[in-house]
Amino acid sequence: MSDELTLLAEAGAAAVVAAMATDLWQGTRDGVLGLFRRDVPDSAAPVGARLDEGAALVRSSAAPDDVRRALAGIWSRELHELLRRAPACRVPLARLAAEVDGAFASGRAAVVLEQNNTARDSGTVFAVQHGDIHTTRGEGGAARRDPDDGPQ
């Protein structure tokens, strides 16, 4: 029985951390909170805060997969304890893990990237995600886009 709980907790944790910083996050987060509410109705706020903190770490990290691996261990222990205390959470957790895995397998999950760039005091920002940006200085020192970079 303990092996079954461990495997289910690990699968649940893997799904939770995989969903962080993707378009699956809010639904996954809500599902996890629902499981913890079944066990302790007042647990939503602290569990939600830990989930949000982990998701923020994943979003802001230069190595999000490393953060996910670390968080998977933490959430595996949390979910194992939850399953030990509240056996009725087994089926919903298995369903949640399967839904997240299915979304990734079918390509329905997309990573959500945030980028905030600010230029002040006559500054200029050149920013790009998932590619390269090439700039050159034209007449008068003004930057201009390289036409080989494709559409703006």
Side-chain angles (χ1 to χ4, degrees):
M1 186 72 97
S2 181
D3 288 342
E4 176 191 341
L5 289 182
T6 299
L7 291 175
L8 180 54
E10 289 173 354
V16 168
V17 300
M20 290 178 174
T22 72
D23 58 351
L24 300 174
W25 177 236
Q26 193 59 51
T28 303
R29 179 188 182 279
D30 292 346
V32 171
L33 289 178
L35 293 173
F36 279 89
R37 271 191 209 105
R38 286 177 179 221
D39 180 42
V40 179
D42 296 335
S43 67
V47 171
R50 289 194 306 272
L51 287 166
D52 293 339
E53 182 179 296
L57 287 171
V58 170
R59 274 193 310 274
S60 66
S61 175
D65 289 337
D66 292 343
V67 175
R68 283 187 174 102
R69 273 190 288 280
L71 291 171
I74 294 166
W75 283 104
S76 180
R77 284 188 300 278
E78 292 263 354
L79 291 171
H80 188 274
E81 284 303 307
L82 171 71
L83 294 172
R84 190 184 55 73
R85 290 187 316 264
C89 291
R90 291 178 186 176
V91 171
L93 179 59
R95 189 177 313 119
L96 178 68
E99 287 172 5
V100 170
D101 289 346
F104 279 108
S106 69
R108 291 180 301 156
V111 174
V112 177
L113 298 173
E114 294 180 23
Q115 181 173 341
N116 296 310
N117 305 293
T118 304
R120 290 190 173 85
D121 301 323
S122 301
T124 304
V125 173
F126 297 94
V128 68
Q129 288 182 333
H130 307 295
D132 298 319
I133 188 169
H134 304 277
T135 61
T136 57
R137 295 285 173 185
E139 292 181 33
R144 69 184 170 85
R145 234 173 91 336
D146 187 334
D148 292 337
D149 284 341
Q152 272 183 323

